[in-house]
Amino acid sequence: METVLQFILGVLIVAVGVAISIGLHEVGHLVPAKLFGIKVTQYMIGFGPTVFSRRRGETEYGLKAIPLGGYVSMIGMFPPRGAGGKARANSTGFFQSMVQDARDQSQESIGDDDDRAFYRKPVWQRIIVMLGGPFMNLVLAVVFFSIVIVGFGTLQTSTTVGSVSACVLPATSDRQSCEAGDQESPGAAAGLKPGDKLVSLDGVAITSWAQSTDIIRESSGEALPLVVERDGEQVALTVTPLLTERYVTDDKGEVVKNADGSSKTQEVGFVGIGAAQELVPQPITAVLPMVGENIAGTAGIVLNLPQRLYDVAQAAFGSEERDINGPISVVGVGRVAGEIASLDSISIESKAASLLGLLGSLNIALFVINLVPLTPLDGGHVVSALWEGIRRFFAKLFGRRDPGPVDAAKLMPLTFAVVILFGGMTALLVYADIVKPVNIFG
């Protein structure tokens, strides 16, 4: 029962974090819009029927039934057809009608406030308004990651023993458990226990786990004096590394491959102990590089989204496993949060750091996705404003007539297609996160 409550708590914590992230994203649009004199009629969190709303001044603030996004409604998002003219009412065809309806609704929203319409504002102001949302997500990501790596720290290998193998198995063995007749590991034979902190090995003071590993690998068959700290006291032991087959790894800890693709092995000294990891606070200068790495990783997923979604479909409808670095839905995010909160093997500090890191990554995803240059995403509106600025710049440069605002309503068919694609993508990811969730913890 306690595990279930912890799971629910983890989901609720991330759900609140997601709601705050969405709300502040919209604040990023709202504040500059009001500062620039654009009339904002609605500030809503969620979609669908309105659950609660209150009007303050000219803006209605409220919550919708489906908390999967939000929006800020500004008047005059689209200019009328033609420079200073009115939209025609006789368009035919589905997409033509869609464009016409967008223009009509935009004109109706303006009323007597034409000078406060979005499309009337200078290009640079419109760009700031549209970038305000993603910028807020970037700020939130920096805040979350700052708390995680400066306040809590990042997991790093310590000099404390985290595990002791009971027996010796070759690296190429198919077995993962010991059987009768297997040779006892040197670590177990020496009396090492999880929680022991390495003090010295072969007379050398141990300051890092890598240092002890190097000594062990080069000392097979030699009886090495070992001092550990156990329950606040130093304990003297003797360990004799056994020559055994181990995989060769590179500086990143990845197994080196032979020319034929097989894993490369070598015979080195082996004791059979694994290091415990601990949270080590990092300097504030480590925050932005970490944020940059997350942005690059998320951008890579977005750029390869068709292939990533194909892989998700293969896993959801077939026997393939989900990629832990692949896209997931809000359902998947909630599930991961619940699993983190219900783990008994990690400390409360590690759980808190993991949940905050999850929210940081989510805000990076919102930042990157909203910059995609397709309407109705913020990046699509930015590109539209930039194109208008470029046209007007060259018209002025060559003494031509001002071409006027870009008729962004013509992009409504593209907007419709993007919404359909995003809806399909969301449905696929939600289904996959239910029937074949990402297995992060093995």
Side-chain angles (χ1 to χ4, degrees), residues 12-226:
L12 290 176
I13 290 173
V14 169
V16 171
V18 170
I20 292 173
S21 299
I22 293 172
L24 290 179
H25 173 98
E26 300 306 330
V27 167
H29 294 308
L30 177 72
V31 172
K34 284 184 171 290
L35 287 175
F36 295 142
I38 301 171
K39 185 175 181 179
V40 180
T41 57
Q42 283 188 317
Y43 168 91
M44 291 289 173
I45 304 301
F47 300 104
T50 301
V51 176
F52 165 82
S53 71
R54 176 174 295 177
R55 179 172 294 279
R56 289 192 175 183
E58 62 188 15
T59 306
E60 179 188 9
Y61 301 86
L63 297 174
K64 297 280 188 176
I66 306 173
L68 296 179
Y71 65 91
V72 168
S73 181
M74 296 173 281
I75 68 169
M77 289 297 294
F78 305 115
R81 185 186 183 95
K86 296 292 183 181
R88 294 186 306 179
N90 61 348
S91 299
T92 59
F94 177 73
F95 290 119
Q96 289 86 348
S97 296
M98 183 185 298
V99 172
Q100 186 66 48
D101 289 343
R103 294 196 189 105
D104 290 343
Q105 291 175 12
S106 178
Q107 283 298 109
E108 291 172 4
S109 71
I110 294 174
D112 297 327
D113 297 303
D114 187 67
D115 60 326
R116 300 184 63 193
F118 177 79
Y119 83 90
R120 288 287 192 186
K121 297 301 177 179
V123 168
W124 66 271
Q125 290 186 1
R126 280 180 278 158
I127 290 175
I128 290 176
V129 170
M130 299 317 300
L131 289 181
F135 176 75
M136 286 297 292
N137 292 126
L138 180 60
V139 170
L140 283 171
V142 171
V143 171
F144 284 130
F145 283 128
S146 295
I147 296 173
V148 170
I149 70 176
V150 178
F152 290 98
T154 58
L155 280 176
Q156 295 187 4
T157 301
S158 67
T159 56
T160 300
V161 177
S163 62
V164 180
S165 301
C167 64
V168 178
L169 293 175
T172 54
S173 175
D174 294 329
R175 288 193 289 118
Q176 299 296 322
S177 59
C178 298
E179 296 179 355
D182 287 338
Q183 184 176 358
E184 185 179 25
S185 75
L192 279 165
K193 298 180 180 180
D196 288 347
K197 183 176 182 180
L198 304 184
V199 177
S200 67
L201 179 60
D202 196 24
V204 179
I206 299 300
T207 57
S208 70
W209 190 265
Q211 182 186 16
S212 65
T213 300
D214 290 339
I215 295 174
I216 291 170
R217 293 169 70 90
E218 299 296 329
S219 306
S220 61
E222 300 179 23
L224 304 177
L226 171 65

Side-chain angles (χ1 to χ4, degrees), residues 250-429:
D250 57 21
D251 294 337
K252 297 180 180 179
E254 298 177 354
V255 177
V256 177
K257 299 293 184 180
N258 291 311
D260 60 0
S262 61
S263 298
K264 189 175 183 179
T265 62
Q266 64 179 345
E267 291 191 335
V268 293
F270 172 77
V271 169
I273 56 175
Q277 291 189 315
E278 60 184 5
L279 290 172
V280 179
Q282 302 297 305
I284 192 69
T285 53
V287 175
L288 292 183
M290 185 176 186
V291 171
E293 291 175 5
N294 273 266
I295 291 175
T298 304
I301 292 177
V302 172
L303 291 173
N304 295 286
L305 196 56
Q307 179 62 49
R308 296 285 189 151
L309 292 177
Y310 175 79
D311 293 339
V312 171
Q314 288 288 95
F317 300 103
S319 58
E320 300 293 329
E321 291 296 322
R322 291 284 298 277
D323 180 1
I324 62 173
N325 295 315
I328 60 176
S329 69
V330 290
V331 173
V333 172
R335 185 165 189 157
V336 170
E339 290 178 352
I340 291 172
S342 60
L343 281 176
D344 294 328
S345 58
I346 62 176
S347 65
I348 294 178
E349 291 81 3
S350 294
K351 291 179 182 181
S354 297
L355 291 175
L356 288 171
L358 189 62
L359 289 173
S361 297
L362 178 66
N363 274 277
I364 289 295
L366 291 173
F367 170 73
V368 172
I369 291 172
N370 274 286
L371 291 182
V372 173
L374 296 172
T375 55
L377 300 172
D378 298 329
H381 293 288
V382 170
V383 169
S384 179
L386 286 173
W387 176 238
E388 178 180 321
I390 291 172
R391 291 202 316 165
R392 283 181 155 167
F393 171 78
F394 281 104
K396 184 177 181 180
L397 181 65
F398 294 106
R400 297 173 182 171
R401 181 175 59 87
D402 185 350
V406 168
D407 189 3
K410 290 181 177 179
L411 296 176
M412 286 305 296
L414 172 62
T415 301
F416 179 77
V418 171
V419 169
I420 294 297
L421 288 174
F422 268 75
M425 179 184 73
T426 301
L428 171 62
L429 291 177

